[in-house]
Amino acid sequence: MASGNADTPRKAYITASIFATSPGDLKARREELRFTMHKKITCISFTEFMDEFLPDSTNHSEVQAQPIKSLVLSLRSSGPSSEPPQDSVEKPHILQNPFKGMQPSATERSMYTKITEALNAANPCPGYQFVPTPHKGDQSADTKQAVDCGMYPIEAAKKLKLEEGDRFGRMAWSWVEIAIECKMNSVSDDPFDEDLEGHEPNAETRRHVLGQILSYAEYVFNHQQRMFQYMLLFLGNCARIVRIDRAGIFATEKFIYRSTHGDRIVQFLRRYAALSLAERGHDTTALRLDPKSDDAETMRARVKDLGEDDYVGALFKKQLREDWPWWKLEVPDELTGHTRRYLVGKPHFQAPGVAGRATRGYVALEADPAEGQKARFFYLKDAWRVVSDDITKEGVVLQELRKHEVECVPTFVCHGDMLGQRTRTQEVWPKCHKGKECALKTHQHYRLVVKEVGKPLEEFSNGMELVMALLCCLTAHSDAYSHGIIHRDISSGNMLLYKQPDGTWTGLLNDWELSKELEQQEKEGRQPDRTGTWQFMSANALDDHSKVIDVPDELESFFHVLIYLAVRFLPHNLTNSSVPQFLRDYFDDYTPHAQGFRCGRTKAAAMENGRISLSAYNAKKEDQPVEKYLRFTWPTKSSDSAPSGPLDNIVTTLLSWFKAYYTYHPNKEAPVRSNEGITAVKLEFTGVMGRIRAKRKGDSEATPNAEGVHRPTEAASAAGTSTEATSSVMIKDPLGEAPGRLANKVKTHEAMINLLLSALEHEWPETDRHKELKPTTKWKPPVDQVPKGSKLAKDSAEGSKSLKSPKAPRKGSKVSSRSKVSTGSKRTSRDAGDIEAGPSSKRRKH
C-alpha cells in the first residue's frame, strides 16, 4: 500500500545527475542529498531506538535472515559470520563506559585516536577493529572523501594500508561496517535539531554536516549491497546513533558519552554484534566474490579474446575493476518459483542519492548456463521500488507490452522482490508522530533481468541514426499508450541503441518502472519527487508539480532529448564555446519559487516562443549579422554559411507545434538554404524500420481518421483534429494553419511519428556527427565579472551585511539553548550547479 505522497521539494539531483552540464562541486552534491531527505528525519530517545531496531532479544525479527556459513570476502575464511559469535552476546550487568575519564579533545584529530582506542580496548564487537581514516580517500571512489573513523572486519582492517608509525588508515567504502564521524561542537556541528519540526537544522553549518554524513552513507550504499546501515556520530562530549534506509533516517537523541552514558555505545555495538548479517543490513542474496574464486575466474575468462563488434562483452569487461567488489546476485523468478544467479562487477549505472529508488544497472553474466553452452550476457536492474497499488512492477509491465507485441522495448527474462528486504522507517514513523499522516513511501528491494543489453543513445553514429532511434522509441511509446500504459520518464538515459540481427542499430525504450496504467493516473496529481528526469521534463510539468503526465508532456520530453544530443554532437550555428552555458541554461536551470522550483527560463521561452534564442550566446562578428535562433545545419567548416539540414526541419516544425500548444500563436517560416556539394544518404526501410513504416502507412490507408485507429484514448483527446495530424508534416508553421490545429498535433503520437518518418525519407548527411561539446572536465559557469576575493567584492559583501538588521524573535517564541545558532541564509543563484555565485552570494534555506 502507498503511504501517501512524499513532500520532498522538486529539484533533486540536478548537479549529481549524469545529464548535468557540470557535476557541481562537493558542496552542491551534499546539498542535494540533504534536499531529498526533507521531512524524512526523526529523532527519538535511545530506549525507543534500541527497542525498535535492536531489541534485547535472541529472536531479532527485523528481517527474515537466511542463514549462510560466511560472508564471502577476499578474506573468505576469516570474514564475519552470519551467526553472532558466542562471546558477543550482550551481558548488560557488566556494561561499562569505555570513555569515562577521557580528557576533552583539543582538536578533532585527537578525537579520532581517543575514540577508536577506547572502543578497541572495550572490544564490544569481537572480530572487528575501529580504525581512524580521516585523510586518505578510497582510491576507487570518484572523490577522495573519507569518513573520520570506521568499524572494519579485523582482516579487512589489515588491508587499509596502515603504515609504520601512522595511526590513520586509508578509507575503504566497500569494507566499512559502521561509519563514524567526529565533530568538535555538540550544537553547531549537530546535523539534527529536535527543537525544529522535522528535526532538520536551519543553521548553515549544521545543514552542511547533515549533507556530509549523507554523502558518507551514499558511498557505503554504492560500494556495498546494503538494505540499511548504522552510523555513529561523536559531537564534542555528546553522541548520536543513526539508522539510515532508503525511506529515511532515525537518530537517537544526543547523550553525553564521556562522563555518563558512554555505556550506550557499548550496548548498541554488543547488540549489533549479536545480529546476523541480514539483521545488520547486509543483503545476503548478494555474495561477495573472492578475487581468486572460480566465479571470478569465469568472469575474466568470458571477456578474453572479444570480437571487435562485441560491444556487450566490452561493457562487461569495463565493469570488472579490480578495485571494486564483484558479486553473485540472486534474482527470484516469480513466474517459476526458481532462483537465478548472475555475476556482476561495478554497476554500469548508479543513480545518485540515499533516499529513494537507488536504481543500479549491471551488464550481468549468467552464473549457471545450460550444460555445454556459453554463458550469456543480460542486463540486470536492481532498485528499491515504491510499493503502491497504483504502481505496477516493471517486469509485469514488460510482460504486458510483449503480450501486445509492442516492439522496441526490452524482452523480459525474470524478476522478483527480495524476500524480507523492505524499508522500515515508514513503519516506525507513525509511532513517533501520533495523529500525523505519514508522507514516507515504502520501498521494496527488487531485481529485474532483461535480454537486451543496449548502448547509450548518445553513441549514435550520425543524425539519421539518432532520429531513427527516437522514432523507434516514440513508436513503442505510442503502441504502449494505445494499450493503456504511459511511460512517464522519457530521458536520454532511458532510450538505448540496440543492434538488430541484421546489424542495424535501432532504438529501445527502456526503464518502465515509473509507468502507469492510464486508468490509474491520479486526477489530483502525481507524487512530487517521483516522476521524471529534471533535464527532460516538460515545462508544464516543471511548473506544476501536481500535473498528471500526459502525451504532450512525453512528446515534449522526446523533443528535449533530441535537442540535448543534437547540440552536443551535431552541427549547428551555436558557437562551440557557448555550448556548456546553453546546456546549463536549457536543461539544468531552474526558477526559485515559494513552493519549490520551477522550469528554467531558457526552456520555458523556447516552448512559448517557438524559437530557441541564441542572443545570449553568439557574439556578434564584424560585418556579419548575428543569427538569433538555434539552427541545425549540414556539416561544413563554417556554420554561418551552412545550409539548414533535415534535422532543422524537424526541430522547427516541432517548436511551432509546442508554441501553439503553449500560447496558441503561430511561428514564422524559417529560411531555406542550399545543401549542394555535401555527401548525403537515404535510409532503407527494412527490419524494424520497415515494419514501423508499413504499419503507419497501413493505418493511414485503412481509414481517413488515422488518429483514431486503435487509439480511442488519443482520439478522444483530439476529437475533430485527426486529418491534420497525418497531412504533410514537413512544414514550418504555415500562416494558413490555425494555431489550435497545430496545438492538437502534440496531443497524440501520430503527427510526431509521421514527422520523423517523413524526415527519414529525405536525404541526410552521411557524416554529421562531430566531437562532444559537453565539457568532460569540471566546467563552471561564469559567476561574476569582479574576480572572487577582490577588494571590491569583499567590501561589497561586508557592506551589504552591515545594512541588514537582525530580525527580532516573534512575540512569545521560545529560544532553546540548543538552537542558539545562526540560521541559514537564502541562496540567490538560480542554478543548482552555481553554488559559488560570487563572494557575496548566500545559501538558500530549503
Side-chain angles (χ1 to χ4, degrees):
M1 296 292 292
S3 54
N5 289 344
D7 201 16
T8 302
R10 160 71 66 185
K11 188 186 70 69
Y13 307 130
I14 295 181
T15 63
S17 169
I18 61 173
F19 307 112
T21 307
S22 173
D25 63 10
L26 184 59
K27 192 174 183 181
R29 294 180 66 176
R30 288 177 173 178
E31 180 186 86
E32 290 186 345
L33 288 170
R34 178 180 54 78
F35 204 82
T36 58
M37 202 57 76
H38 179 60
K39 293 193 177 181
K40 298 175 183 177
I41 298 172
T42 301
C43 296
I44 56 179
S45 71
F46 174 79
T47 301
E48 290 174 312
F49 185 93
M50 297 296 285
D51 288 345
E52 283 292 345
F53 301 115
L54 295 95
D56 183 12
S57 171
T58 56
N59 181 25
H60 300 286
S61 58
E62 180 164 326
V63 293
Q64 297 297 320
Q66 298 296 322
I68 56 177
K69 293 183 178 180
S70 66
L71 176 64
V72 181
L73 308 171
S74 63
L75 40 110
R76 178 186 293 267
S77 62
S78 56
S81 169
S82 63
E83 298 301 320
Q86 292 301 312
D87 60 350
S88 68
V89 178
E90 181 188 351
K91 300 176 182 178
H93 62 283
I94 61 170
L95 284 179
Q96 295 180 349
N97 182 0
F99 310 103
K100 194 170 185 179
M102 178 188 294
Q103 295 300 312
S105 299
T107 65
E108 190 175 299
R109 181 185 179 94
S110 64
M111 290 181 69
Y112 311 150
T113 53
K114 287 182 179 180
I115 288 172
T116 53
E117 287 175 357
L119 289 173
N120 284 326
N123 193 27
C125 293
Y128 289 90
Q129 180 179 345
F130 296 88
V131 182
T133 56
H135 305 310
K136 299 176 183 178
D138 190 325
Q139 293 176 323
S140 68
D142 57 351
T143 68
K144 300 307 177 185
Q145 294 185 73
V147 70
D148 292 334
C149 311
M151 187 177 89
Y152 292 85
I154 287 178
E155 291 301 318
K158 295 178 181 178
K159 300 176 180 290
L160 301 186
K161 300 181 180 179
L162 285 165
E163 300 176 1
E164 189 72 25
D166 187 358
R167 297 181 177 181
F168 299 154
R170 181 176 293 280
M171 183 68 229
W173 294 111
S174 62
W175 296 104
V176 64
E177 182 73 15
I178 296 178
I180 302 172
E181 182 64 12
C182 302
K183 296 293 181 184
M184 287 292 293
N185 195 293
S186 62
V187 176
S188 62
D189 290 329
D190 188 356
F192 308 111
D193 191 339
E194 292 97 327
D195 290 340
L196 298 179
E197 184 178 0
H199 299 167
E200 299 173 55
N202 275 341
E204 186 66 18
T205 301
R206 300 175 73 168
R207 284 147 41 105
H208 171 74
V209 176
L210 176 57
Q212 182 181 5
I213 67 170
L214 287 173
S215 70
Y216 297 154
E218 180 182 33
Y219 272 100
V220 173
F221 278 133
N222 287 354
H223 284 72
Q224 302 183 31
Q225 302 286 342
R226 289 285 194 110
M227 298 178 285
F228 55 89
Q229 60 179 291
Y230 289 95
M231 184 179 291
L232 294 177
L233 302 181
F234 290 90
L235 310 166
N237 65 339
C238 297
R240 290 186 188 269
I241 304 169
V242 182
R243 183 189 184 276
I244 306 172
D245 66 16
R246 299 299 186 177
I249 292 177
F250 267 92
T252 66
E253 62 188 0
K254 276 189 297 193
F255 54 86
I256 298 174
Y257 72 92
R258 276 208 306 262
S259 58
T260 55
H261 297 301
D263 57 333
R264 293 181 177 181
I265 300 291
V266 176
Q267 182 182 357
F268 162 73
L269 291 172
R270 286 197 173 183
R271 289 194 188 181
Y272 185 89
L275 301 175
S276 68
L277 283 171
E279 290 170 314
R280 296 178 198 170
H282 291 279
D283 175 7
T284 55
T285 67
L287 192 66
R288 183 165 179 168
L289 300 178
D290 186 318
K292 298 180 181 179
S293 67
D294 292 341
D295 286 324
E297 290 301 326
T298 297
M299 296 166 77
R300 295 188 187 95
R302 182 62 178 82
V303 293
K304 286 183 178 179
D305 304 321
L306 293 174
E308 292 183 3
D309 297 332
D310 191 353
Y311 75 96
V312 179
L315 284 174
F316 185 74
K317 185 176 182 179
K318 188 176 180 181
Q319 294 177 196
L320 300 185
R321 285 179 45 174
E322 297 294 340
D323 61 350
W324 198 276
W326 301 359
W327 305 89
K328 180 187 285 186
L329 302 180
E330 295 180 1
V331 181
D333 189 337
E334 292 188 353
L335 293 182
T336 65
H338 299 148
T339 297
R340 304 196 191 192
R341 301 184 301 171
Y342 296 88
L343 306 175
V344 301
K346 183 178 180 179
H348 173 254
F349 168 77
Q350 173 76 64
V354 174
R357 301 189 306 277
T359 303
R360 288 193 252 206
Y362 300 91
V363 179
L365 182 67
E366 59 181 341
D368 305 299
E371 187 175 352
Q373 293 188 4
K374 192 175 184 179
R376 297 169 295 172
F377 291 113
F378 295 87
Y379 199 81
L380 189 154
K381 185 173 181 179
D382 181 291
W384 286 80
R385 69 179 186 86
V386 174
V387 178
S388 169
D389 292 339
D390 295 332
I391 301 177
T392 306
K393 294 179 184 178
E394 185 175 2
V396 175
V397 174
L398 293 180
Q399 293 176 70
E400 186 70 13
L401 295 177
R402 280 296 172 182
K403 173 184 174 183
H404 294 293
E405 299 182 344
V406 176
E407 287 197 278
C408 303
V409 297
T411 303
F412 170 85
V413 174
C414 64
H415 77 141
D417 288 335
M418 313 313 295
L419 182 63
Q421 298 190 21
R422 183 171 287 199
T423 53
R424 283 208 63 209
T425 296
Q426 77 289 340
E427 292 181 5
V428 182
W429 194 95
K431 301 178 184 179
C432 308
H433 301 81
K434 300 293 185 181
K436 294 184 179 180
E437 181 182 359
C438 181
L440 304 180
K441 303 185 185 74
T442 300
H443 290 270
Q444 166 67 52
H445 196 192
Y446 171 77
R447 290 192 180 120
L448 165 70
V449 178
V450 298
K451 175 184 175 182
E452 295 83 0
V453 180
K455 68 178 184 179
L457 182 60
E458 66 180 37
E459 295 185 16
F460 64 90
S461 59
N462 55 38
M464 183 170 67
E465 187 173 270
L466 171 62
V467 173
M468 185 167 59
L470 287 173
L471 175 59
C472 291
C473 295
L474 183 61
T475 303
H477 190 281
S478 173
D479 291 346
Y481 188 84
S482 71
H483 294 292
I485 299 173
I486 186 167
H487 189 280
R488 303 198 313 153
D489 189 18
I490 299 301
S491 73
S492 177
N494 289 346
M495 289 183 273
L496 303 173
L497 291 170
Y498 180 68
K499 196 172 187 179
Q500 297 291 339
D502 62 0
T504 304
W505 288 94
T506 57
L508 191 75
L509 185 55
N510 200 33
D511 288 331
W512 292 80
E513 66 175 301
L514 298 186
S515 65
K516 268 193 175 183
E517 294 182 13
L518 295 177
E519 60 185 23
Q520 290 180 334
Q521 287 251 60
E522 297 176 331
K523 294 182 179 180
E524 296 180 357
R526 69 184 191 275
Q527 298 176 5
D529 63 344
R530 276 283 297 169
T531 310
T533 302
W534 178 275
Q535 282 81 0
F536 308 108
M537 291 175 65
S538 72
N540 274 340
L542 291 175
D543 282 340
D544 181 1
H545 299 170
S546 63
K547 184 184 186 302
V548 174
I549 301 299
D550 54 16
V551 171
D553 297 304
E554 299 277 76
L555 297 187
E556 185 180 329
S557 293
F558 276 103
F559 173 79
H560 296 318
V561 170
L562 177 62
I563 296 297
Y564 177 75
L565 294 173
V567 167
R568 291 171 58 192
F569 296 108
L570 297 176
H572 47 68
N573 63 337
L574 176 63
T575 56
N576 291 354
S577 61
S578 297
V579 167
Q581 185 72 43
F582 172 81
L583 291 174
R584 191 206 73 165
D585 293 347
Y586 191 101
F587 295 100
D588 302 338
D589 196 14
Y590 64 89
T591 302
H593 190 273
Q595 297 179 349
F597 298 89
R598 299 294 186 259
C599 182
R601 291 313 309 157
T602 303
K603 179 189 285 188
M607 296 296 99
E608 294 167 0
N609 300 330
R611 297 286 195 187
I612 299 177
S613 174
L614 300 183
S615 58
Y617 307 103
N618 285 358
K620 184 176 181 180
K621 297 181 181 179
E622 189 174 348
D623 300 328
Q624 290 186 10
V626 177
E627 291 201 61
K628 294 183 178 180
Y629 303 107
L630 179 64
R631 184 170 59 85
F632 294 94
T633 67
W634 283 75
T636 60
K637 292 183 179 180
S638 174
S639 61
D640 294 328
S641 58
S644 297
L647 179 61
D648 196 57
N649 290 333
I650 295 174
V651 171
T652 305
T653 303
L654 289 175
L655 278 171
S656 72
W657 296 354
F658 287 119
K659 175 186 176 182
Y661 179 71
Y662 274 82
T663 67
Y664 299 100
H665 294 293
N667 200 356
K668 294 183 179 180
E669 187 172 354
V672 178
R673 300 177 180 234
S674 172
N675 61 350
E676 293 180 2
I678 301 175
T679 304
V681 293
K682 293 192 70 173
L683 176 67
E684 294 184 9
F685 286 86
T686 60
V688 171
M689 296 304 301
R691 291 192 293 274
I692 290 175
R693 186 189 190 199
K695 181 176 181 180
R696 298 297 156 179
K697 295 288 186 180
D699 285 351
S700 298
E701 295 169 359
T703 173
N705 187 0
E707 284 286 292
V709 175
H710 307 302
R711 286 166 177 76
T713 305
E714 292 195 288
S717 66
T721 65
S722 59
T723 55
E724 58 266 15
T726 54
S727 61
S728 176
V729 292
M730 290 298 293
I731 55 175
K732 299 180 180 179
D733 196 0
L735 298 178
E737 188 155 10
R741 298 171 68 189
L742 287 177
N744 283 326
K745 290 180 182 292
V746 295
K747 292 184 178 179
T748 66
H749 294 83
E750 298 307 318
M752 191 168 179
I753 289 176
N754 286 321
L755 173 65
L756 299 189
L757 269 174
S758 179
L760 288 171
E761 291 176 348
H762 289 66
E763 290 185 339
W764 283 75
E766 185 176 19
T767 55
D768 55 353
R769 180 183 170 114
H770 53 61
K771 68 178 183 179
E772 163 75 288
L773 295 180
K774 179 183 175 183
T776 55
T777 57
K778 291 187 177 180
W779 174 86
K780 289 187 177 181
V783 292
D784 204 321
Q785 292 183 358
V786 179
K788 191 180 299 183
S790 69
K791 186 176 186 299
L792 175 60
K794 182 178 179 181
D795 291 347
S796 299
E798 292 176 351
S800 64
K801 291 179 182 178
S802 66
L803 295 175
K804 296 180 180 179
S805 301
K807 293 182 179 180
R810 290 178 297 176
K811 185 177 181 180
S813 63
K814 181 180 178 181
V815 180
S816 169
S817 60
R818 290 190 294 173
S819 302
K820 291 182 180 179
V821 289
S822 60
T823 58
S825 305
K826 291 186 178 180
R827 175 183 170 193
T828 56
S829 171
R830 293 186 308 153
D831 183 73
D834 190 10
I835 49 99
E836 295 177 350
S840 61
S841 66
K842 301 290 185 181
R843 301 288 291 172
R844 183 208 314 276
K845 180 168 63 178
H846 298 310

